[in-house]
Amino acid sequence: MGQDLPVTSYALLGLLTFGDELTGYELKQRADATLRFYWVSPAMSQVYSELARLADRGLVLTRARRSNGDETTATTYRISAAGRRALETWMRESEPGFSVLKHPVALRLLLGHVVDPETTIAMLEAHVEALDAERAALARVREGLRGRDEPGQPFRHPSLVADWGLDYFDNERRIVTHLISRLREEGDA
Amino acid sequence: MGQDLPVTSYALLGLLTFGDELTGYELKQRADATLRFYWVSPAMSQVYSELARLADRGLVLTRARRSNGDETTATTYRISAAGRRALETWMRESEPGFSVLKHPVALRLLLGHVVDPETTIAMLEAHVEALDAERAALARVREGLRGRDEPGQPFRHPSLVADWGLDYFDNERRIVTHLISRLREEGDA
DNA sequence: ACAGCCATGTAACTCGTTACATGATTAC
DNA sequence: GTAATCATGTAACGAGTTACATGGCTGT
């Protein structure tokens, strides 16, 4: 039956459990706003192909929207009862597995002996700036959940995850800043 | 010339800059010990195909080891001068890009409204255990670098990255433990 | 009129995985 | 003798990307 799907499929399906009905385009935007921080935001083309597969298996239902005359320009998707069951079974019965981190900055620091110290320091400084920008983007998302983020409310769990993410960014910034000063001290010595 | 390679190729090439000569098998072990925490440890089969590609481009040099009679059972790889240049150019001239995190536990917490609170709490508790195990594995790696981890010594940078990783694990544990108590309080209310 | 966003998809391709296949050496 | 580890690869496949192609609608 519910032949196993990749995690990204379930992730997209999960984004449809917040009570609304979205176009592929809108789903991509939601993924960019949330999923991106903890998983990946699939390319536009993949969003469409995943939705097609989910529809194929009856896990989402489609509806034509905005029919002007004969032209149908948009299709919206909503999760089906079977989709909810499949998602719940997946959550309950499969192992999450451990996180996979692809951290190009850490990788390059590992190989720091290949370049001069200034290059490494500059890279870490740029990383701090990037972290600040990402943190700010997540903070805006978090703010958007205010008012519906209490226990029992619809965005309770998204808020918890966003708080986790913000804390992660704060800690990462602290570590990297500390690494920079360690490297600077070596340079002066 | 140095047609662009995927990051994983450069990562493997970088693991050969620590002054020794390894078989594919040994390189995989080194990747499991280090790369795994900040990047990915490629499958055995990919290690061999990446090495073949690197050799093809002259970035690594091969040598037959352990020839008993006529049989050659192992090939070792070392980085070439061209390989060092290519790696340095890559480090200096390409943008690292931002980290990609695939965090199945965060993803499932995001969708916590789909299952009952106990399921979510149990998942987070299992995650704490997994974190402890990973932290311990990294701590063993870090210990193995003691004595060669001072500024100017060969494992300086690997040590910095390992310290970063340990700090990350500590912080993650703290956050997740806190999330568990938040969820528990809600359950009691 | 033109830019930018909304909206949908196809095609080609690469990365990386699992499964499979083989065989030598070492430890108990 | 048999299990684990060392050692090397091939083949099939799937996930996910970029590039390409198309067109409507909205604001200036």
Side-chain angles (χ1 to χ4, degrees), chain A:
Chain A
M1 299 254 164
Q3 286 315 356
D4 246 25
L5 293 166
V7 180
T8 301
S9 289
Y10 286 109
L12 290 175
L13 188 59
L15 291 184
L16 292 172
T17 58
F18 293 94
D20 44 9
E21 199 170 328
L22 304 176
T23 64
Y25 192 91
E26 289 162 346
L27 183 58
K28 164 67 172 162
Q29 291 180 315
R30 182 170 293 180
D32 283 342
T34 61
L35 217 54
R36 185 187 96 205
F37 296 101
Y38 332 106
W39 194 251
V40 282
S41 193
M44 209 50 254
S45 66
Q46 200 193 350
V47 171
Y48 287 114
S49 54
E50 292 296 350
L51 281 172
R53 170 157 59 176
L54 291 170
D56 229 50
R57 305 195 182 199
L59 305 183
V60 297
L61 302 171
T62 63
R63 182 185 312 204
R65 183 212 268 176
R66 208 189 288 177
S67 356
N68 23 9
D70 258 348
E71 303 287 17
T72 299
T73 53
T75 307
T76 56
Y77 298 83
R78 65 185 191 286
I79 192 169
S80 69
R84 278 180 197 281
R85 278 196 304 275
L87 187 61
E88 202 198 323
T89 302
W90 174 74
M91 296 264 284
R92 195 184 299 286
E93 280 165 28
S94 67
E95 287 297 313
F98 203 72
S99 337
V100 172
L101 178 62
K102 288 189 159 198
H103 202 312
V105 174
L107 173 62
R108 282 156 188 250
L109 177 59
L110 180 79
L111 303 176
H113 62 285
V114 170
V115 294
D116 50 304
E118 292 72 37
T119 303
T120 302
I121 290 173
M123 176 193 69
L124 292 176
E125 282 170 343
H127 183 51
V128 171
E129 278 186 53
L131 277 172
D132 288 344
E134 282 294 291
R135 205 216 114 102
L138 181 55
R140 280 190 296 275
V141 171
R142 178 66 184 90
E143 282 314 308
L145 302 174
R146 295 258 178 243
R148 296 108 92 207
D149 57 353
E150 295 296 314
Q153 291 184 321
F155 295 121
R156 176 60 178 169
H157 290 98
S159 302
L160 290 173
V161 183
D163 288 343
W164 181 351
L166 290 170
D167 193 309
Y168 162 78
F169 281 131
D170 290 340
N171 194 59
E172 176 106 331
R173 189 187 209 286
R174 194 181 54 66
I175 305 173
V176 177
T177 304
H178 184 230
L179 283 170
I180 291 172
S181 46
R182 281 176 80 180
L183 288 171
R184 270 198 215 290
E185 280 163 31
E186 294 178 21
D188 296 341

